[in-house]
Amino acid sequence: MKMRIVMIVAVVLGISALSAEAAKEKKGKTNADVAAPKKPPMDGKKVAAKLREEWDIGDLKMMRVVIDDSQYSPELKTSFANAIDKFSDQQEDLLDKVEADASFEAAARKKRANANAAFQEKMQAAYANPEFKKDMARRMKALDKEIDAIAASAEKLMAALDSVGVSKEQKDRIAPVVKEANKKVKAEVDKSETKSAKDKKSRDKIVASYKEARKKMRQELTPEQREKLTRKLADEA
């Protein structure tokens, strides 16, 4: 009888020990589970894309195209072009660094703010002239409409050209350029998130895809026709 009691006590003690160990193990796992999980590393490409959209680099690229096409004095054009190119290069360099290391975002924002301040200071001298500021805004609006037109179809832009009095010979030379430009611009638009020519994450690429074609097209136009086209597009609602 005593032996039986001893065996029962041993079994009970063994079970209790196992239960305590199991409870301890469970508690340890629970604490580990409750602990905040490690955040996955940030995607540098996504962070850079967000900054590209926020900084609206496409607008700067458009400004560069407008400056190239303008009739401003050579000195003013050179000054503007250099300022735009410098600011563009600075931003692209910062975006490359963020893409390689997302943790660089805070530093990139600070450096970009400083670069932007220097760029705006450079621009203020010209913007102090209200006529110049008004003309730049008009030309930027016209280019925006022109890009929308070429993204929609080659025919839409050709129709705008018809309204400024292009000859049949001019149209024959311009039509292939416009058709090719439509393919390139539409390809960039189709790759954008919003499928729009105004997509800020892709706007700079969309502008770049049209830049050379636009230059070739406008070389075929007389100065009067170029100005008529600018006015027509800028005046459109």
Side-chain angles (χ1 to χ4, degrees), residues 168-225:
K168 182 181 182 304
E169 291 75 16
Q170 284 177 306
K171 286 179 68 176
D172 289 342
R173 292 191 296 268
I174 292 172
V177 176
V178 173
K179 188 175 181 179
E180 183 63 23
N182 167 252
K183 290 181 181 178
K184 291 182 178 179
V185 173
K186 192 174 184 304
E188 291 297 338
V189 170
D190 288 344
K191 287 189 289 186
S192 70
E193 288 184 3
T194 62
K195 309 300 180 189
S196 165
K198 289 181 170 59
D199 188 289
K200 289 189 176 183
K201 287 183 181 178
S202 303
R203 185 69 161 171
D204 57 325
K205 292 180 180 178
I206 292 169
V207 174
S209 69
Y210 182 50
K211 182 178 179 180
E212 288 306 313
R214 183 179 190 273
K215 183 178 179 181
K216 291 178 183 177
M217 180 189 76
R218 292 201 164 227
Q219 284 174 345
E220 297 293 342
L221 303 176
T222 66
E224 293 77 15
Q225 287 171 332

Side-chain angles (χ1 to χ4, degrees), residues 1-231:
M1 185 68 177
K2 288 184 179 180
M3 181 61 69
R4 187 178 179 186
I5 293 173
V6 170
M7 290 178 65
I8 291 173
V9 171
V11 170
V12 171
L13 289 174
I15 292 173
S16 299
L18 289 173
S19 298
E21 186 65 28
K24 183 179 179 181
E25 184 178 348
K26 183 178 180 181
K27 182 179 179 181
K29 289 183 178 179
T30 302
N31 289 340
D33 292 338
V34 170
K38 290 184 179 179
K39 292 183 179 180
M42 290 187 293
D43 188 327
K45 289 185 177 181
K46 288 184 179 180
V47 176
K50 180 187 69 174
L51 289 177
R52 184 177 293 277
E53 177 183 20
E54 183 181 319
W55 294 350
D56 201 2
I57 294 178
D59 193 64
L60 196 64
K61 300 289 186 183
M62 285 177 60
M63 189 180 293
R64 185 65 166 86
V65 172
V66 165
I67 292 296
D68 287 343
D69 189 53
S70 72
Q71 301 299 314
Y72 305 137
S73 70
E75 295 79 15
L76 187 59
K77 289 180 70 170
T78 298
S79 177
F80 265 129
N82 289 342
I84 292 170
D85 289 344
K86 180 178 180 180
F87 190 34
S88 294
D89 290 344
Q90 287 172 325
Q91 291 183 100
E92 291 295 348
D93 181 59
L94 292 173
L95 289 172
D96 286 343
K97 290 179 179 177
V98 170
E99 190 168 322
D101 180 6
S103 66
F104 187 72
E105 179 185 0
R109 286 181 178 277
K110 184 176 181 180
K111 290 177 181 293
R112 193 265 180 182
N114 292 335
N116 184 45
F119 175 69
Q120 294 301 330
E121 183 178 354
K122 185 79 174 179
M123 300 293 283
Q124 284 307 314
Y127 280 160
N129 182 332
E131 288 302 316
F132 175 84
K133 189 172 184 178
K134 182 178 178 181
D135 186 64
M136 275 292 292
R138 180 174 65 88
R139 292 180 182 279
M140 288 287 284
K141 182 179 178 182
L143 177 56
D144 188 50
K145 295 290 184 181
E146 194 171 328
I147 292 174
D148 284 346
I150 194 64
S153 70
E155 290 74 18
K156 186 169 183 179
L157 185 54
M158 289 302 296
L161 289 169
D162 280 339
S163 69
V164 301
V166 294
S167 67
K168 182 181 182 304
E169 291 75 16
Q170 284 177 306
K171 286 179 68 176
D172 289 342
R173 292 191 296 268
I174 292 172
V177 176
V178 173
K179 188 175 181 179
E180 183 63 23
N182 167 252
K183 290 181 181 178
K184 291 182 178 179
V185 173
K186 192 174 184 304
E188 291 297 338
V189 170
D190 288 344
K191 287 189 289 186
S192 70
E193 288 184 3
T194 62
K195 309 300 180 189
S196 165
K198 289 181 170 59
D199 188 289
K200 289 189 176 183
K201 287 183 181 178
S202 303
R203 185 69 161 171
D204 57 325
K205 292 180 180 178
I206 292 169
V207 174
S209 69
Y210 182 50
K211 182 178 179 180
E212 288 306 313
R214 183 179 190 273
K215 183 178 179 181
K216 291 178 183 177
M217 180 189 76
R218 292 201 164 227
Q219 284 174 345
E220 297 293 342
L221 303 176
T222 66
E224 293 77 15
Q225 287 171 332
R226 289 198 293 269
E227 283 305 305
K228 282 183 180 179
L229 181 61
T230 296
R231 285 197 299 272

